Amino acid sequence: MPEEKSFHMKPDEFRRHGHAVVDWIADYYGRIESFPVLSRGEPGQVRALLPPDPPVKGEPFPSILADIEKLILPGITHWQSPNFYAFFPSNASGPGILGDLLSSGLGAQGMLWTTSPACTELETHVLDWLVHMLALPEKFLSTSNGGGVIQDTASSASLCALLAARERATNFASNRRGCDGKLVAYTSLQAHSSLEKDAQIAGLGRENLRLIEVDENFAMRPDALARQIEQDRRASLTPCFVCATVGTTSSNAIDPVAEIGRICREHNLWLHVDAAMSGTAALCPEFRHIHAGLEFADSYCFNPHKWMFTNFDCDCFYVADRRALIQTLSVLPEYLRNKATETGAVIDYRDWQIPLGRRFRSLKLWFVIRHYGLEGLQFHIRQHVELAQKFAEWMRKDECFELAAPVPLNLVCFRHKGGDEINQSLMDRLNRSGDLYLTHTRLNDRLTLRLCVGQTNTRFRHVERAWKRIREEAEKLTQGSAYDIGV
């Protein structure tokens, strides 16, 4: 019989083209510093270069790969550049990329234990490893009543925590009949904006999310939290959830988790601790003070995709009582029933998250941990903190600049003393130059620049050059204020 027609890529073709893609990625990392960090693309520029209609006939793979260079790179902001200091990093590494490639190749869908036992059991085991690596409370181990799961981002983790808190506070009635408008949640004025979205999605409503005032270091004030809870109770409302932040986005502020936790314990409120960026620092014993009070937490999360060299997306979410989370999120149609689930001896992670389907994310995390080892991870975290502290030291010694917030780890918030207009212009000029990429926030109602050291390949020379460029552009803006560029 004649061979059946197929348009699929044959294994030998895949091998050849796969080598080409890996070579391209390796070359990209070798020349990444030659690109402007922030894309210079204009709105609509990429789409204007694309053909208006899809191809009828398939195209040769080399032509497709060539278009990455021609069409896509001009519209890329280079998050993996060592000169990327904006937002918080989303850093990647060789072992993480290769783990993700294998995950894509296996194509496993790990919604149930039975759909790929290795997908579930590796995730459970690696999440247990991280409990020990970060010195988290043992209640978060899978061998206890709790356990960990990989979410896509901290936004999803906090939503799952809020939903579980909602159900615990209503004895699971709100899952059946919806919210009654009386549930109230709390976080700080400096907390991540995802909490507002979570309140909307969970049915509490944004008006029932209380944004608690912060102290001079931009951390939540426990006394203000306690007063607001009492006020809401007197108004016949039902407080149910508090989110404390370990490393806020604007300033890296660390909320006093222990004091907040005692208040939550007194009022029987679910305490979620969001350590999305800074949690990774606890790999190093000298930084584990950031987790003081975590014994009070009902849930906790941090993002290896931010500062642990595990490419996006990968959030590690832990709960102290997995039954509350599972009862909140579990729906079991007939087509998902199976013998393994019915034994109660396995974990079905579909019940720990919003979507049904889930990717094999633990594979890349496993690769990263095994490649670097705890020693290698600690080395690079310490190096990043040291570089940020050096930058802050240069800032303190310069008469034209000031620090806008404490610098506990690897984020430096600073401003030129000339005011908001100069700071805006300074950031715009630096970003347009392509030499580095900074973002801003507002602290004490003043425009503040942020420099976060956390990209995989950022070294001393990169931070030193960033400081030099900041001073050079500041000098031009202030028309030649004389000060030495040397560090």
Side-chain angles (χ1 to χ4, degrees):
M1 290 184 64
E3 185 179 348
E4 290 185 13
K5 186 172 184 178
S6 172
F7 291 90
H8 297 310
M9 187 180 285
K10 296 179 175 63
D12 284 346
E13 293 176 308
F14 175 79
R15 180 178 290 107
R16 185 172 68 255
H17 299 323
H19 283 305
V21 170
V22 171
D23 285 344
W24 188 93
I25 294 171
D27 290 341
Y28 168 71
Y29 276 90
R31 61 193 171 113
I32 197 168
E33 292 184 59
S34 69
F35 299 108
V37 185
L38 179 64
S39 171
R40 290 171 173 163
E42 298 291 335
Q45 178 179 323
V46 174
R47 292 198 66 183
L49 296 173
L50 299 172
D53 300 307
V56 174
K57 292 185 177 296
E59 301 175 45
F61 189 84
S63 298
I64 300 171
L65 188 57
D67 278 346
I68 296 296
E69 197 83 26
K70 177 183 174 183
L71 304 178
I72 302 303
L73 272 186
I76 290 291
T77 289
H78 299 278
W79 281 72
Q80 305 311 313
S81 169
N83 299 306
F84 183 100
Y85 304 105
F87 305 108
F88 281 141
S90 180
N91 60 17
S93 66
I97 293 168
L98 293 174
D100 220 12
L101 175 62
L102 275 170
S103 174
S104 295
L106 290 169
Q109 210 279 51
M111 59 185 177
L112 301 167
W113 177 89
T114 193
T115 59
S116 276
C119 186
T120 294
E121 294 191 18
L122 181 66
E123 183 163 335
T124 302
H125 200 72
V126 170
L127 271 288
D128 280 353
W129 272 3
L130 283 164
V131 170
H132 298 301
M133 291 168 68
L134 298 168
L136 301 178
E138 291 193 357
K139 65 184 178 181
F140 291 138
L141 288 168
S142 66
T143 50
S144 71
N145 292 326
V149 59
I150 297 178
Q151 304 278 355
D152 50 8
T153 65
S155 302
S156 293
S158 58
L159 174 58
C160 289
L162 179 56
L163 291 170
R166 182 192 75 185
E167 294 311 303
R168 191 176 75 174
T170 63
N171 196 26
F172 298 91
S174 54
N175 255 356
R176 297 191 303 272
R177 62 174 184 244
C179 292
D180 59 6
K182 292 184 177 295
L183 292 171
V184 185
Y186 307 83
T187 194
S188 90
L189 281 164
Q190 292 288 310
H192 195 267
S193 61
S194 62
L195 271 298
E196 292 187 49
K197 184 180 288 189
D198 292 344
Q200 294 175 178
I201 296 170
L204 274 70
R206 288 173 60 183
E207 290 183 2
N208 283 340
L209 177 67
R210 307 288 191 247
L211 302 180
I212 305 301
E213 61 191 272
V214 296
D215 62 19
E216 67 278 6
N217 294 325
F218 307 104
M220 187 194 296
R221 288 182 49 186
D223 60 328
L225 172 65
R227 282 197 304 272
Q228 185 63 59
I229 291 171
E230 294 290 353
Q231 181 179 327
D232 288 332
R233 287 199 183 281
R234 287 195 298 270
S236 298
L237 298 175
T238 306
C240 69
F241 173 87
V242 176
C243 179
T245 308
V246 173
T248 59
T249 299
S250 279
S251 68
N252 220 194
I254 297 172
D255 289 342
V257 175
E259 294 177 66
I260 294 168
R262 292 187 187 97
I263 294 169
C264 291
R265 187 72 58 85
E266 177 186 350
H267 293 278
N268 193 30
L269 308 186
W270 185 291
L271 174 60
H272 175 63
V273 177
D274 177 359
M277 170 63 188
S278 297
T280 298
L283 291 169
C284 304
E286 65 269 30
F287 301 134
R288 288 178 183 160
H289 60 86
I290 65 174
H291 284 157
L294 205 54
E295 65 272 14
F296 292 103
D298 294 283
S299 56
Y300 167 86
C301 75
F302 86 106
N303 288 350
H305 71 234
K306 278 192 165 67
W307 198 16
M308 204 176 126
F309 318 115
T310 306
N311 40 305
F312 189 85
D313 52 8
C314 183
D315 167 88
C316 294
F317 174 53
Y318 292 91
V319 289
D321 178 8
R322 59 177 174 263
R323 292 171 302 178
L325 181 66
I326 292 169
Q327 190 172 345
T328 297
L329 297 176
S330 181
V331 176
L332 185 59
E334 182 61 35
Y335 52 80
L336 293 180
R337 294 183 184 276
N338 63 89
K339 290 181 179 180
T341 295
E342 290 170 2
T343 66
V346 300
I347 289 175
D348 289 332
Y349 277 128
R350 70 180 185 89
D351 296 329
W352 296 52
Q353 61 175 26
I354 304 301
L356 172 62
R358 58 195 333 271
R359 293 182 289 115
F360 199 171
R361 293 187 184 96
S362 61
L363 204 55
K364 61 188 174 187
L365 186 55
W366 189 46
F367 272 39
V368 166
I369 294 171
R370 293 185 66 187
H371 171 84
Y372 286 97
L374 184 56
E375 177 185 37
L377 294 170
Q378 289 173 336
F379 173 85
H380 289 289
I381 296 304
R382 286 171 175 143
Q383 185 179 63
H384 288 160
V385 173
E386 182 181 353
L387 291 176
Q389 297 300 322
K390 175 61 71 174
F391 183 88
E393 180 185 329
W394 295 334
M395 191 68 61
R396 291 186 188 98
K397 293 179 179 177
D398 192 287
E399 62 183 15
C400 295
F401 288 91
E402 63 184 358
L403 293 176
V407 186
L409 293 169
N410 63 328
L411 175 67
V412 184
C413 295
F414 67 98
R415 61 171 73 97
H416 192 282
K417 293 179 181 177
D420 283 5
E421 187 175 341
I422 282 184
N423 282 290
Q424 183 69 58
S425 296
L426 176 60
M427 182 176 68
D428 291 344
R429 290 170 69 115
L430 288 165
N431 290 345
R432 280 198 303 268
S433 77
D435 294 335
L436 66 156
Y437 181 26
L438 302 175
T439 47
H440 75 284
T441 187
R442 295 196 74 86
L443 297 174
N444 293 325
D445 201 31
R446 297 171 67 188
L447 192 138
T448 301
L449 307 185
R450 302 167 66 264
L451 182 138
C452 183
V453 182
Q455 254 314 327
T456 304
N457 294 305
T458 299
R459 302 290 183 264
F460 177 82
R461 67 179 176 87
H462 300 109
V463 177
E464 181 182 42
R465 183 167 181 261
W467 176 227
K468 180 178 180 180
R469 290 290 294 114
I470 289 167
R471 299 183 77 189
E472 286 175 347
E473 292 301 329
E475 186 173 5
K476 292 175 186 176
L477 282 167
T478 54
Q479 299 180 338
S481 298
Y483 53 86
D484 179 26
I485 298 298
V487 294

